[in-house]
Amino acid sequence: MADIQKLLAQMTLEEKIGQLMQYNGNVFMDTSAEITGPMQQFGLTEADLGRMGSVLNFASADEMKAMQDLHLSKDPHKIPMLFMMDVIHGYRTIFPIPLGLGCSFDPALAKECSQMAAREAGASGVQVTFTPMVDYCRDPRWGRVMETCGEDPMLAGHLGAAQVEGFQGEDLKEYDHLAACVKHYAGYGGVEAGRDYNLVERSERELREYFLPAYKACIDAGAALLMPSFNSMNGIPSVANPWLMKKILKDEWNYQGVVISDYNALGELLVHGVAENEKQAAQLAFQNGCHIEMCSSAYLHHLKELVEEGTFSEAQIDEAVTRVLELKDRLGLFDDPYHGADQQKAEALFLCPEHRELVRRAAEESAVLLKNNGLLPLSEDLNRVALIGPFAQEQGINGFWSCCGRDEDTVTMAQGIRKLLPEAEITVARGCGCQWDDRDTSGFEAAVQAAKNAQAVILCLGEPQTYSGEGNCRADIRLPGMQLELAKAVIDANPNTAVVLFHGRPLDISGLDEIAPAILSLWFPGTEGGNAAANLLFGRANPCGKLDMTFPRSIGQCPIYYNHPNTGRPHWTNEAKQQHFASDYIDCPTLPLYSFGHGLSYSHFVYSDLQVSSPVLTAETCIQVSVTVKNDSPRPGKEVVQLYMRDPVASVVRPVQQLIGYQKLAFAPGEEKHVTFPVTEEMLRFWNFEGQHTSEPGTIQLMVGYADHFLLSQHIEYRA
Ligand code: BGC
């Protein structure tokens, strides 16, 4: 335990401000010669290296130790630096992208995956991860949608909290745990037109209802750090936004952790046009509670001056520095500045059988069987299988933000299927039929020939991993290049064609959906993708993923999301069907292609007997809602039983459906289960027009099924 107040009393103002700086690890590479490159770019001096509080991005435990040693040799107080990194969906052994993992509807699995990532990253010298990202998003054009947990605030909050718990464990001092940084606060997923870094203009009610709950869930789970987002929120970039940073984060939520800016977000206050110069940027961010500045130098160059001229008191600086030092203390860095980093230990963990097994299971649980006319599962007795499409033997299936994951570590589709069917003839069509995004169709002939010669075809389509992630937005979310045309030619040649999709966002696959007998979405599955796919296609694993984000029929429907508020002319009423003036399109159905919560199985689940323990709910009582679910098939399988509600009359317009409970359960063949959900008054609360989080008396509809397609429904009465 360090005596932080004693330490503070010994530090100069410059040294304190140093604790609030963060730069890339490569600034430490400049030291021996004269100052060039990264140090020069940020205006750093040699002395700053001894004062620096934290670093992001570095290659290994050995590199981290060398930087820590160099820093400590220059720091008279011997305060270790914090080492941070984006460990998003694995460090070296990679599990599915978060949007994929969300389809598992399995926070326990997300926690296990985070624990695994923490083991590998911790041994590699990482002490803080910039995870979880819980930006609420409804727009698949936005490239960063792959980092989110989808369009339901409650599910995203559960998955985010599970990641915090998995990374942080009980005690940050333990070497297998890291501090987690929830991001990007707030509303980044609401960027206009789905374009990265664009403005976000949202009503307070909408923010509180949809966008803020998942950050709050992560804070409640103990997230040690928080990162404000790049975007302007209702006119002011988040890091300088008093409504977000002071009113909500500080005053309402009483957040006690460390706030770190996003990369150069203080520099961007000038570009946004809300700060005239670096000094004003420093003032705006600091006064709104940003403790660490990442990769710009407004604090370094101006915070001292702002104290000397009386804008801030030294006590305010002390408060910020105390938070940073306390985090270092919680991590035990004053006793072990490496936090157990050990290159050899890390290398033994990377891709070890247990980690591979976990990420394969995660990939299987995240896959969503979108469509199946009975073709899947394929028989293991097949002798001739053709693999066609740009992902047939592609190694780039980790997805964006895969940290130290390497393409060469991944199991490709061809490898996975050859391993599962060692005796069969598995042919990869020459040239795979076509590449992702060129217009060249010269490979079609070989693909058609391969399809004709095979008993079944596995057609591996999608968008490359660089088409999603930060800065990778798309205005057209259909399959790029000639892939749809390839699919037409191949399915024509052999109707026994199952499509496997790789993607970082919901795609517009309407054209494909019309012709493909079966479609299995793998998202970007990670290191064990090919093995997971083979197990799923041949029935050794039974698909159980459910969509955490809606698949539109067309980009023109976007943003489209299941939990949208009602309109005065909903498209589904009889009146609307009979008249022209309804909330719909004249050239496209209103409903999406695949709704939130959709996902097929090789088992067949039958729902019956939806019951409520009482028709009346009060503020003091709890109703039990039960439903019988039967696996009416000879295959074991898992089902995510989903409970939705609707509040048809309230003082503000309420969503047409809202998820209030889910349970993922395993069923033996023929097994029947009575599934029970509690319903309390708290679940009915919403933000009313006066800005109160409240419930109102009246009828509530409860539904079981999935969004837009409920199977059973019951009404209860809420009496205040
Ligand atoms: C991203 C953050 C990330 C940071 C550090 C930024 O560009 O927006 O999500 O944590 O870089 O790598």
Side-chain angles (χ1 to χ4, degrees):
M1 268 287 283
D3 186 341
I4 287 167
Q5 291 316 310
K6 194 167 152 206
L7 194 54
L8 264 180
Q10 294 160 358
M11 291 166 75
T12 64
L13 184 55
E14 281 96 337
E15 285 167 347
K16 291 175 185 172
I17 292 167
Q19 289 299 315
L20 311 181
M21 311 188 300
Q22 172 168 110
Y23 295 96
N24 273 306
N26 64 2
V27 297
F28 278 84
M29 309 302 165
D30 278 356
T31 50
S32 48
E34 73 219 78
I35 290 171
T36 53
M39 279 184 76
Q40 194 176 47
Q41 177 200 344
F42 293 118
L44 296 174
T45 64
E46 282 280 337
D48 292 326
L49 299 183
R51 293 195 277 254
M52 197 172 296
S54 58
V55 155
L56 85 156
N57 295 344
F58 52 97
S60 63
D62 288 344
E63 193 175 297
M64 172 263 168
K65 285 181 175 174
M67 279 190 259
Q68 189 74 293
D69 290 346
L70 182 66
H71 159 80
L72 289 172
S73 72
K74 291 174 188 286
D75 179 2
H77 305 290
K78 307 283 175 234
I79 304 173
M81 294 191 295
L82 279 165
F83 286 82
M84 309 199 187
M85 205 142 152
D86 290 280
V87 185
I88 309 293
H89 51 114
Y91 182 83
R92 176 73 184 271
T93 317
I94 304 300
F95 51 89
I97 56 169
L99 190 60
L101 193 61
C103 297
S104 71
F105 273 62
D106 193 344
L109 177 65
K111 183 172 171 180
E112 237 186 297
C113 287
S114 302
Q115 284 165 336
M116 179 209 72
R119 277 195 293 279
E120 293 190 4
S124 307
V126 183
Q127 298 152 358
V128 174
T129 173
F130 300 121
T131 314
M133 190 275 216
V134 287
D135 298 337
Y136 176 77
C137 186
R138 305 159 172 168
D139 196 329
R141 291 173 294 184
W142 191 47
R144 303 199 76 168
V145 67
M146 51 98 14
E147 289 172 70
T148 76
C149 301
E151 71 189 34
D152 183 75
M154 180 183 74
L155 180 64
H158 289 175
L159 292 160
Q163 292 175 61
V164 172
E165 288 163 10
F167 273 110
Q168 296 197 164
E170 296 290 311
D171 182 358
L172 288 181
K173 285 195 179 64
E174 286 170 8
Y175 291 158
D176 284 350
H177 291 292
L178 320 179
C181 176
V182 56
K183 67 188 187 185
H184 307 87
Y185 179 78
Y188 188 17
V191 282
E192 198 171 275
R195 213 178 68 228
D196 213 354
Y197 318 119
N198 207 359
L199 71 151
V200 179
E201 289 282 323
R202 302 277 172 173
S203 75
E204 178 170 342
R205 232 170 39 73
E206 193 186 22
L207 287 170
R208 287 185 183 274
E209 199 82 40
Y210 292 92
F211 287 82
L212 298 185
Y215 307 109
K216 179 66 165 54
C218 294
I219 289 175
D220 291 345
L225 299 95
L226 172 139
M227 184 189 290
S229 53
F230 282 131
N231 57 281
S232 66
M233 165 60 70
N234 294 337
I236 305 179
S238 299
V239 72
N241 189 311
W243 187 82
L244 281 176
M245 304 300 292
K246 285 189 149 169
K247 182 164 189 318
I248 305 284
L249 189 65
K250 183 167 182 283
D251 299 343
E252 291 188 23
W253 295 354
N254 188 25
Y255 182 59
Q256 293 297 316
V258 172
V259 175
I260 178 166
S261 81
D262 204 344
Y263 202 104
N264 189 35
L266 270 64
E268 289 175 18
L269 293 178
L270 278 69
V271 189
H272 269 114
V274 296
E276 203 168 1
N277 49 39
E278 228 187 14
K279 182 176 169 189
Q280 198 187 358
Q283 182 182 337
L284 286 172
F286 193 77
Q287 80 192 16
N288 282 295
C290 172
H291 305 123
I292 300 181
E293 176 181 12
M294 184 198 291
C295 291
S296 48
S297 299
Y299 285 4
L300 173 67
H301 296 152
H302 302 285
L303 214 43
K304 184 166 178 243
E305 190 187 338
L306 286 163
V307 173
E308 283 165 355
E309 68 188 30
T311 307
F312 299 120
S313 66
E314 192 155 345
Q316 283 173 287
I317 305 290
D318 286 355
E319 200 198 310
V321 178
T322 300
R323 291 208 188 198
V324 176
L325 295 178
E326 275 173 357
L327 178 59
K328 294 182 179 190
D329 195 37
R330 278 181 70 195
L331 282 155
L333 297 189
F334 292 101
D335 297 322
D336 175 4
Y338 310 132
H339 197 253
D342 178 339
Q343 193 67 34
Q344 263 189 333
K345 178 181 165 193
E347 272 158 30
L349 286 168
F350 294 162
L351 309 167
C352 66
E354 296 76 24
H355 288 190
R356 277 196 176 270
E357 201 278 326
L358 173 62
V359 300
R360 184 194 35 74
R361 185 156 53 88
E364 288 169 5
E365 303 269 325
S366 306
V368 183
L369 183 60
L370 294 172
K371 179 178 178 186
N372 188 16
N373 71 357
L375 176 66
L376 293 178
L378 297 171
S379 160
E380 288 191 26
D381 297 332
L382 291 174
N383 297 318
R384 292 187 319 281
V385 177
L387 279 166
I388 301 174
F391 280 95
Q393 47 194 4
E394 171 59 39
Q395 293 192 301
I397 56 171
N398 278 328
F400 207 83
W401 281 121
S402 53
C403 202
C404 297
R406 297 180 187 169
D407 287 356
E408 63 263 31
D409 296 335
T410 63
V411 179
T412 65
M413 287 296 298
Q415 287 166 340
I417 287 163
R418 286 199 173 114
K419 188 170 152 216
L420 195 135
L421 296 184
E423 306 295 321
E425 190 187 309
I426 312 292
T427 315
V428 176
R430 192 160 30 86
C432 295
C434 69
Q435 293 308 303
W436 289 304
D437 49 4
D438 61 25
R439 312 295 301 168
D440 184 7
T441 55
S442 59
F444 276 30
E445 208 182 305
V448 166
Q449 204 47 51
K452 282 188 177 153
N453 293 343
Q455 293 163 301
V457 179
I458 298 169
L459 184 57
C460 312
L461 306 176
E463 51 173 13
Q465 51 184 355
T466 49
Y467 274 31
S468 56
E470 187 173 353
N472 298 323
C473 302
R474 293 184 65 193
D476 179 350
I477 57 166
R478 289 173 298 179
L479 288 169
M482 300 304 284
Q483 294 186 76
L484 181 57
E485 287 70 11
L486 176 70
K488 284 180 186 155
V490 168
I491 293 166
D492 214 28
N494 188 339
N496 287 339
T497 295
V499 176
V500 177
L501 280 183
F502 294 81
H503 50 119
R505 58 164 58 74
L507 295 171
D508 165 1
I509 51 162
S510 296
L512 182 68
D513 187 71
E514 277 173 28
I515 56 169
I519 307 175
L520 177 70
S521 156
L522 285 190
W523 303 95
F524 282 109
T527 311
E528 282 283 306
N531 285 335
N535 286 345
L536 289 158
L537 289 166
F538 289 90
R540 291 201 187 178
N542 191 348
C544 58
K546 304 283 181 185
L547 290 179
D548 56 0
M549 192 166 176
T550 300
F551 268 55
R553 283 179 188 277
S554 141
I555 189 70
Q557 292 181 313
C558 296
I560 183 166
Y561 51 104
Y562 88 93
N563 43 1
H564 60 89
N566 202 9
T567 67
R569 297 188 179 193
H571 61 94
W572 63 80
T573 59
N574 280 337
E575 296 77 18
K577 276 184 199 140
Q578 281 155 24
Q579 61 161 298
H580 178 73
F581 300 101
S583 180
D584 59 10
Y585 300 102
I586 54 169
D587 57 354
C588 175
T590 319
L591 286 176
L593 185 63
Y594 293 116
S595 302
F596 176 89
H598 167 78
L600 305 174
S601 164
Y602 299 148
S603 305
H604 179 233
F605 295 102
V606 180
Y607 285 70
S608 62
D609 205 20
L610 180 62
Q611 301 231 354
V612 290
S613 60
S614 160
V616 178
L617 177 71
T618 68
E620 288 77 37
T621 59
C622 171
I623 284 185
Q624 300 297 328
V625 182
S626 66
V627 64
T628 303
V629 183
K630 182 171 183 189
N631 176 6
D632 192 19
S633 79
R635 248 173 215 282
K638 288 183 188 160
E639 174 71 335
V640 181
V641 184
Q642 304 162 45
L643 179 69
Y644 294 85
M645 67 157 260
R646 178 164 181 211
D647 180 353
V649 184
S651 58
V652 294
V653 180
R654 304 281 291 119
V656 295
Q657 258 182 299
Q658 181 188 341
L659 187 71
I660 55 168
Y662 59 91
Q663 289 181 42
K664 185 176 183 175
L665 301 166
F667 291 78
E671 191 180 5
E672 186 174 272
K673 286 188 175 172
H674 300 285
V675 188
T676 307
F677 295 92
V679 175
T680 60
E681 174 275 335
E682 212 180 318
M683 293 168 160
L684 314 183
R685 287 185 202 163
F686 59 95
W687 291 91
N688 71 11
F689 208 65
E690 272 80 48
Q692 295 150 337
H693 196 217
T694 185
S695 54
E696 292 172 0
T699 300
I700 300 290
Q701 186 182 6
L702 299 169
M703 295 158 271
V704 167
Y706 61 103
D708 302 320
H709 301 267
F710 61 87
L711 305 166
L712 298 166
S713 148
Q714 274 274 5
H715 288 83
I716 58 168
E717 189 72 21
Y718 170 59
R719 291 195 196 137

